[in-house]
Each structure stands twice: as C-alpha cells, then as structure tokens.
C-alpha cells in the first residue's frame, strides 16, 4: 500500500475478523477506490461499518539524499548486490533478498526492515535494477531494546552509505497514515 496502517477503537475485534474467499485486486486501481471497495465488502459480508480514514501525522522518518552509486561490498556472499546488514553478515543468503526496480523500491525495503518510513529525496535514476540481500542483522523491527535498535540502525545506514553513496538523516515529518475504526 505504501502507507502505514493504524488500528484504533476496537483493534483486537477488527484484526480478528475472518474474511474467507478469493480476492482479486486491480493493481492499477487508485488506492482510494480499493479502500472504498473494501469498506463496502465488509459492510455487505459482515454487516459491520468499518472505515478507513487517511490522515497526516508527525512520525520519525529516514530521509535519503544523494545519488545512487554502487560500490561492491567485501566479505559478503555476493559482491554484486547491495547488502542490508548492521553488525553481522550472514555466511549465505539465508535471510533473503530480491531485486529492486528503482532506488525508491530499495528504500521501501529498508523502511520495512527498520520499521521506519523512508522519504526518497535522492537524485537517482527512477528505473534501475538493484539486486540486494538482507542479512539477519538488518531485521531491526525484531529488536526490542531501543538503545540496541538505534545502534544497529546507525551501523546499517553507515553500511548502506558505503555501498550506495546515499546519505540518511532521521527527521520528524508529516506522513500519511491510514486509520481503521468501526462506526456504530
């Protein structure tokens, strides 16, 4: 979706709603159309008035700047990939990876790994294939201790900067968030 989703009001109730069936989603449809269709489906199938509301809220984000220039890493299982890692490299590609079709998509993967929205203010070409691997040490969304997560985030971003020449700063900015609630 590209937007965060927040649940308020009755989150446990809303998150546990079973909704079996086959889903066909037109990827080219505007997000607002998809959301409206989902609201209508929930009303019709479950007789519940669940609504999705988009709002701008202040959040901590990472801001990426610069121009992507790949510098192969050393000591990894594949020196032709960008590697997401903080303090430890996996010996093989067990944690996963893929190919981003743009710097924006690569930054989206970073955001998922560190559980922060990444704002793309780079000067990079919009279309380029960027193979990447993510190591276990990059899964910062799993780290519970705040101090440890911050330390690992700094290491991860420094490693990415060395490989890509992109620079990262942490800022507080308004971002669009989808809120989910049930109207009675």
């Amino acid at each position: 979706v590209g937007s965060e989703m927040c649940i308020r009001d009755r989150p446990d109730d809303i998150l546990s709603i079973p909704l079996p069936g086959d889903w066909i989603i037109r990827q080219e449809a505007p997000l607002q159309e998809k959301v409206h269709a989902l609201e209508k489906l929930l009303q019709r199938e479950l007789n519940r008035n669940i609504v999705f509301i988009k709002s701008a809220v202040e959040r901590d984000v990472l801001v990426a700047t610069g121009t992507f220039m790949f510098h192969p890493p050393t000591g990894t299982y594949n020196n032709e990939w960008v590697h997401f890692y903080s303090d430890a490299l996996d010996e093989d590609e067990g944690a996963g990876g893929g190919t981003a079709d743009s710097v924006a998509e690569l930054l989206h993967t970073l955001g998922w790994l560190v559980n922060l929205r990444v704002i793309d203010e780079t000067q990079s070409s919009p279309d380029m294939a960027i193979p990447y691997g993510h190591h276990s040490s990059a899964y910062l969304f799993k780290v519970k201790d705040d101090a440890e997560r911050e330390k690992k985030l700094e290491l991860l971003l420094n490693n990415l900067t060395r490989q890509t020449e992109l620079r990262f700063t942490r800022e507080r900015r308004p971002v669009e968030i989808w809120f989910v609630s049930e109207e009675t």
Side-chain angles (χ1 to χ4, degrees), residues 34-71:
K34 294 176 196 177
V35 169
H36 184 65
L38 180 57
E39 288 173 340
K40 288 180 9 186
L41 176 77
L42 294 169
Q43 173 65 36
R44 184 181 70 239
E45 296 296 320
L46 304 174
N47 200 30
R48 294 181 68 175
N49 195 21
I50 296 171
V51 295
F52 300 85
I53 302 161
K54 184 169 39 170
S55 295
V57 295
E58 290 277 321
R59 289 285 193 261
D60 285 335
V61 299
L62 292 173
V63 179
T65 59
T67 303
F68 181 91
M69 296 288 295
F70 180 62
H71 299 282

Side-chain angles (χ1 to χ4, degrees), residues 144-158:
K144 301 297 180 212
D145 180 77
D146 291 342
E148 180 183 358
R149 187 173 48 255
E150 288 301 315
K151 180 181 172 186
K152 287 182 174 251
L153 177 61
E154 183 178 345
L155 291 169
L156 189 152
L157 296 176
N158 287 338

Side-chain angles (χ1 to χ4, degrees), residues 8-9 33 53 59 84 88 92 98 102 110 126 135 144 151 163 169 172 179:
R8 63 178 166 192
D9 295 336
E33 264 184 45
I53 302 161
R59 289 285 193 261
F84 292 101
D92 59 24
S102 64
L110 170 63
H135 298 246
K144 301 297 180 212
K151 180 181 172 186
Q163 296 175 73
T169 56
R172 196 144 176 91
F179 290 91

Side-chain angles (χ1 to χ4, degrees), residues 5 17 40 50 61 75 83 91 123:
M5 186 69 71
I17 296 171
K40 288 180 9 186
I50 296 171
V61 299
H83 289 266
E91 291 183 19
Q123 304 299 316

